[in-house]
Amino acid sequence: MKVPLAWLAEFVEINGTPEEVAAKLTSAGMKVEKIHRPGEGVEGIIVGEVSAVEAHPNADKLSVVKVRTGCMDISVVCGASNFKVGDRVPVAQPGSKVPKMGEIGRRKFRGVPSEGMLCSASELGLGDDHSGIMILDPKAVVGTDLKQALSLGEAVLELEINPNRPDAMGLLGIAREVAACTGARLIDTAAMLKFETSGTRAAGQIEVEIQDPVGCPRYQARVIEGVAGSGPSPSWVQQRLILSGVRPISAIVDATNYAMLVTGLPQHAFDMDKVRGGKIIVRRATAGEVLVSLDGVERRLDPEDLVIADESVPIALAGVMGGRATEVTDETSRVILETANFEPRSIFRTSRRHALRSEASARFERGVDPNGVEMAAQLATALITGWAGGAAAEGSVDVYPDPVEPAEIEMRPARARALLGGDFADDRMGDALDRLGLMPSSDNGVIRTKVPTYRVDLKVEEDLIEEVARVIGYEQIPTTLPAGSNRVGRLSEDEKMLRRLRRALIGAGLYEARTSSLVSSADLEKIGLGPDSATRLANPISQEETLLRPSILPGLLRSAALNFSRRPGDVRLFEIGRTFHPNGTDAPVEKLRLAVAMGGVTPQQWHSAARELDFYDLKGVLEVALRTFSVRDAVLEERQEVPFHPTRAAGLFAADGTRLGMFGELEAGAADRAGVPARFGVGEFDLDALLALVEEPLPAPVTSRFPAVLLDLAVVVSEKVQAASLLATAEGSGGELLESVRLIDVYRGDQVEAGNKSVAISMTFRSPDRTLGEQEALQARDAIAGAIAQRHSGKVRA
């Protein structure tokens, strides 16, 4: 926000240089980004009068302008066309200087000499408007130095306004800050609010209906009659608007913008004779409605858009921009002045939806004071009648069904001293709050305040303590160590387990990834999920991030595909994060998940050939995780689910049937959609459920000093029998002498009937207290073979 210091001085006494004022505001949290001095770099530019405009003989888009400078007439070639004969314009003659352009000289344009240039506000550094030549006040004296004519040289502060301080979006709010920080006196503004009335009443001419009181808590309409249409505002007004970054348009529009810059509350003027039925209706748009806004763009309205309508059609996008059909023109004689309060989120969404940001929407998005409507309306009315003529109808039509009352907050001085670390007296803290207009009063060691409705950022005691620190000055707070009992931070048991899991997975050769919690419908489709499986954001940042992820896999696959596009080889990633699952309410259920993605070809080493990662590599990673958690009763079951390969996937389940996760290779179509190799493995596991199954680690086994007996067993079983179930049967039937059992071979071929497979297992038998005899080991092996034959119909191969 740009604040001309001379204009600010009409609302608060300015004591000190611009640099000193800026330093005070910045130290109080109202950061001054820059101090501008309009006119710097402008030298020798004068006021000229256009005396003739002729077409350029050799260029369609240029014209030859005759300009009277007071002592002589000069000829200038110009590309703008927004001026006419008789207009006063800034003229840069040869030898004068224009900011960023340097010294101006004589030049020829398409064979026609030009003795200088006509300047826009942007070229002079007086604003952002570069659409045409700057038109000066008709009363400006020809030949006068431009700095003198425009009173250039005054400082303009450019402030960064925090989103929670909408009250500082107007000069009155900045004036209150200056007064609080410096102790300066605020200047009474009552005289600015006086205006002539016509004798008629507004209530008899206009009707207001609010159909959406949530979207519009308050709407006031005033009627001003006999105005002079779209004539210009006074030159000093235009200059102030330009210095504030606002383009002058007409006396009526400039009056509303001027009032907005003073109060921070946007307003809008409608041509009353173009409002059908003399009725203002605040409602949501209906499907199919269209509005041509003031910028000439036809906008198809959304049912969520809040609009201002007459009895037939929308005439404005509430809080964002007015409509072309009811704008003030040369023929306007009666005006409806709108001063309202709109719900911030609604205005923000409408502004984003239509890619339309205005000075009004920038303020309404932050929230404006509903109780400031009356003053803002009176000020705008006084300005319109003063600059455009006419008189205001008596009273207004003010719909305010649920008035907002000032909040009361208590502050304990002892608590403030403890938080700030400074021994500030109660009276000093009370004075700081009084400077801010909080009307403090002391009662039994507590300071009670009444917070004005324009200070929407003050809600709790700590907010008041922060205000005390701001006003007293942060530099006045001594440097101290935090008080309070010493506390030793520590990790919870779950946090310790997750840290161990990360270390174990990194040790297994994986890299930890961090992906976005936001995904698109297209991301979910790649793994076979529909948009209904995810929670949709009410106000997404972009169309690529409209949903909260129900799975980590889309983001992990996107990262894997990016890695493969950058370099060949293998990718091994894991991520521990939250997923979000709809449960029929606004707040989704959050779950902690582990996701793994790995595939590609390992590089050739001196001791091993290159090979493709597969399902069993992924299974090995799962076993690392289970060992880290000491989970011993989890079982694997063959499963067929989207997006996994039908025969290279498995589900992980607890002993009681609780699903713990799913992993496997992607089916070919899913891998292609994700942009990863054909044999690419992924898995996702429920860490909340796994953490609930964590057991104490088994004690290290005592190694027997006696030799072991190693025996192998090959059995023919059906293809439907899982190797894991054979190993479980062997472990359960091998007795105390069985030390370990492992799978060593699976054979399918001519020596085995179709539909069957041969599974070979290796068993280690050992006694802890004696040398085991071969016969004892063979008896244990036979017991295992019998159990397999009984439970799985297995036949021992010779």
Side-chain angles (χ1 to χ4, degrees):
M1 178 178 173
K2 293 182 178 179
V3 178
L5 206 57
W7 191 3
L8 182 64
E10 294 184 4
F11 305 100
V12 62
E13 292 178 344
I14 301 296
N15 300 314
T17 65
E19 287 75 15
E20 290 170 342
V21 174
K24 281 285 187 180
L25 287 171
T26 300
S27 67
M30 197 68 63
K31 184 178 179 181
V32 177
E33 293 277 6
K34 189 175 182 181
I35 300 177
H36 298 275
R37 285 185 166 79
E40 279 188 329
V42 173
E43 293 183 16
I45 298 177
I46 62 173
V47 177
E49 180 185 5
V50 177
S51 58
V53 180
E54 301 172 356
H56 193 291
N58 304 316
D60 294 338
K61 296 183 178 180
L62 298 178
S63 57
V64 181
V65 185
K66 302 294 183 181
V67 182
R68 187 168 62 85
T69 64
C71 59
M72 61 183 294
D73 289 350
I74 64 173
S75 178
V76 176
V77 177
C78 183
S81 59
N82 65 313
F83 52 86
K84 62 184 184 299
V85 172
D87 281 345
R88 303 289 201 273
V89 293
V91 181
Q93 300 182 89
S96 61
K97 293 182 179 180
V98 176
K100 299 181 181 180
M101 296 180 67
E103 185 172 321
I104 303 300
R106 292 179 173 84
R107 295 182 58 188
K108 282 188 177 182
F109 293 89
R110 296 287 185 92
V112 176
S114 178
E115 300 176 90
M117 65 178 287
L118 307 185
C119 304
S120 69
S122 175
E123 290 165 336
L124 294 171
L126 302 180
D128 299 325
D129 186 9
H130 52 79
S131 61
I133 300 305
M134 184 178 184
I135 307 301
L136 303 176
D137 187 348
K139 298 179 182 178
V141 178
V142 174
T144 304
D145 187 278
L146 187 68
K147 287 185 177 181
Q148 179 183 345
L150 296 181
S151 301
L152 297 180
E154 67 177 80
V156 177
L157 307 183
E158 184 173 346
L159 285 82
E160 178 184 307
I161 307 299
N162 293 329
N164 67 336
R165 290 298 305 273
D167 61 297
M169 292 293 285
L171 288 168
L172 289 176
I174 302 299
R176 288 191 290 263
E177 285 293 311
V178 172
C181 296
T182 66
R185 181 180 62 88
L186 287 170
I187 298 173
D188 186 19
T189 58
M192 299 173 58
L193 308 180
K194 297 179 179 179
F195 51 86
E196 296 293 328
T197 58
S198 63
T200 62
R201 295 196 59 80
Q205 303 182 61
I206 190 72
E207 182 181 350
V208 174
E209 177 186 352
I210 299 179
Q211 295 183 1
D212 187 345
V214 174
C216 178
R218 184 177 187 181
Y219 192 101
Q220 183 184 115
R222 288 179 176 267
V223 175
I224 305 171
E225 304 167 291
V227 298
S230 58
S233 58
S235 60
W236 63 269
V237 172
Q238 297 183 37
Q239 179 61 15
R240 283 186 171 180
L241 293 178
I242 290 171
L243 293 179
S244 302
V246 177
R247 181 170 62 91
I249 298 174
S250 68
I252 295 174
V253 176
D254 291 354
T256 61
N257 286 333
Y258 192 101
M260 174 190 71
L261 293 173
V262 171
T263 65
L265 205 155
Q267 294 160 283
H268 185 70
F270 298 98
D271 187 324
M272 185 172 175
D273 294 319
K274 298 175 183 177
V275 177
R276 297 178 181 88
K279 186 173 185 179
I280 293 289
I281 303 172
V282 187
R283 60 173 174 83
R284 296 290 171 177
T286 57
E289 284 189 314
V290 174
L291 172 71
V292 178
S293 50
L294 285 172
D295 56 3
V297 177
E298 182 177 283
R299 303 183 185 277
R300 188 164 299 278
L301 302 180
D302 187 276
E304 290 297 314
D305 291 333
L306 188 70
V307 299
I308 310 300
D310 57 22
E311 64 178 11
S312 303
V313 296
I315 58 176
L317 265 177
V320 180
M321 185 174 282
R324 176 68 65 85
T326 55
E327 73 174 318
V328 174
T329 65
D330 291 336
E331 289 75 34
T332 300
S333 61
R334 297 193 302 165
V335 166
I336 296 174
L337 176 64
E338 167 194 283
T339 315
N341 174 239
F342 300 114
E343 197 272 322
R345 286 173 296 182
S346 174
I347 303 304
F348 175 76
R349 291 167 184 163
T350 295
S351 176
R352 288 291 300 273
R353 190 179 297 117
H354 293 279
L356 181 61
R357 187 164 176 81
S358 62
E359 289 284 347
S361 67
R363 287 164 171 79
F364 281 123
E365 287 170 9
R366 297 167 182 253
V368 301
D369 178 19
N371 292 330
V373 164
E374 180 64 26
M375 178 189 176
Q378 289 183 19
L379 176 58
T381 302
L383 297 178
I384 291 174
T385 55
W387 301 341
E394 293 184 1
S396 63
V397 179
D398 193 350
V399 181
Y400 192 16
D402 190 13
V404 177
E405 298 295 333
E408 295 185 359
I409 305 176
E410 296 181 352
M411 188 190 80
R412 296 163 291 173
R415 172 66 173 162
R417 283 187 283 269
L419 281 183
L420 298 179
D423 189 19
F424 302 117
D426 292 10
D427 290 346
R428 189 176 182 187
M429 290 189 282
D431 176 66
L433 297 174
D434 186 52
R435 288 191 192 181
L436 293 165
L438 303 183
M439 296 180 286
S441 62
S442 297
D443 184 15
N444 294 326
V446 173
I447 297 177
R448 291 185 169 85
T449 64
K450 185 170 288 188
V451 180
T453 51
Y454 56 75
R455 286 302 303 270
V456 297
D457 59 312
L458 303 183
K459 301 182 183 300
V460 295
E461 180 183 27
E462 286 73 16
D463 293 330
L464 296 183
I465 295 172
E466 182 183 6
E467 293 300 290
V468 168
R470 286 197 318 113
V471 174
I472 289 178
Y474 293 115
E475 70 280 0
Q476 300 295 321
I477 300 175
T479 302
T480 60
L481 291 174
S485 59
N486 294 325
R487 297 178 181 177
V488 179
R490 58 175 58 88
L491 298 176
S492 67
E493 291 303 316
D494 284 353
E495 289 170 334
K496 291 178 183 177
M497 291 303 302
L498 293 177
R499 182 170 288 187
R500 286 173 54 189
L501 176 62
R502 284 188 170 94
R503 284 199 291 257
L505 293 175
I506 292 171
L510 279 72
Y511 291 87
E512 184 171 10
R514 293 290 178 87
T515 63
S516 174
S517 297
L518 304 177
V519 295
S520 66
S521 298
D523 291 329
L524 297 182
E525 289 173 3
K526 292 178 182 178
I527 61 169
L529 296 178
D532 292 340
S533 65
T535 302
R536 186 171 297 278
L537 296 179
N539 187 33
I541 297 174
S542 70
Q543 291 304 310
E544 287 74 34
E545 295 183 326
T546 59
L547 306 170
L548 285 171
R549 65 182 182 189
S551 168
I552 300 176
L553 291 180
L556 214 53
L557 284 170
R558 194 162 51 237
S559 295
L562 180 62
N563 276 271
F564 279 120
S565 70
R566 300 289 174 85
R567 62 175 179 83
D570 62 325
V571 170
R572 308 174 192 227
L573 301 175
F574 78 92
E575 181 174 358
I576 296 172
R578 297 273 176 190
T579 57
F580 308 87
H581 306 269
N583 67 342
T585 65
D586 291 338
V589 175
E590 294 187 34
K591 295 183 179 180
L592 185 63
R593 295 285 182 90
L594 163 67
V596 179
M598 56 191 300
V601 179
T602 63
Q604 181 178 346
Q605 304 289 343
W606 66 269
H607 55 77
S608 60
R611 68 175 185 85
E612 191 173 26
L613 296 176
D614 58 19
F615 170 83
Y616 296 101
D617 293 288
L618 184 60
K619 180 173 177 286
V621 171
L622 173 59
E623 291 170 350
V624 168
L626 293 178
R627 283 198 302 270
T628 302
F629 285 171
S630 298
V631 174
R632 294 186 283 275
D633 294 331
V635 296
L636 297 178
E637 294 183 9
E638 186 176 346
R639 290 290 168 123
Q640 293 185 4
E641 293 185 8
V642 176
F644 295 98
H645 189 281
T647 62
R648 300 174 193 157
L652 180 67
F653 295 87
D656 62 359
T658 301
R659 181 181 173 119
L660 302 176
M662 184 78 186
F663 70 101
E665 294 182 18
L666 292 173
E667 57 93 9
D672 183 62
R673 291 191 299 272
V676 295
R679 298 200 67 177
F680 193 82
V682 297
E684 190 163 28
F685 308 96
D686 187 340
L687 284 180
D688 290 319
L690 281 169
L691 287 169
L693 297 177
V694 169
E695 301 179 46
E696 288 294 327
L698 290 173
V702 178
T703 303
S704 174
R705 62 187 179 89
F706 297 98
V709 177
L710 303 178
L711 297 174
D712 294 341
L713 176 66
V715 294
V716 178
V717 294
S718 169
E719 284 280 9
K720 296 180 180 179
V721 177
Q722 296 181 359
S725 62
L726 289 179
L727 295 176
T729 298
E731 290 173 349
S733 58
E736 296 180 354
L737 298 177
L738 180 64
E739 186 175 86
S740 66
V741 58
R742 61 190 179 90
L743 178 70
I744 59 173
D745 186 49
V746 177
Y747 172 76
R748 299 175 179 87
D750 296 338
Q751 300 179 31
V752 177
E753 295 181 8
N756 291 338
K757 61 185 175 183
S758 173
V759 179
I761 59 176
S762 177
M763 298 159 289
T764 301
F765 299 95
R766 193 195 306 263
S767 171
D769 54 9
R770 57 188 171 83
T771 299
L772 189 63
E774 184 178 356
Q775 193 60 37
E776 290 178 282
L778 290 173
Q779 289 176 356
R781 184 198 67 178
D782 293 342
I784 292 173
I788 291 175
Q790 180 181 359
R791 298 177 189 175
H792 307 291
S793 302
K795 297 179 181 179
V796 177
R797 287 186 68 196

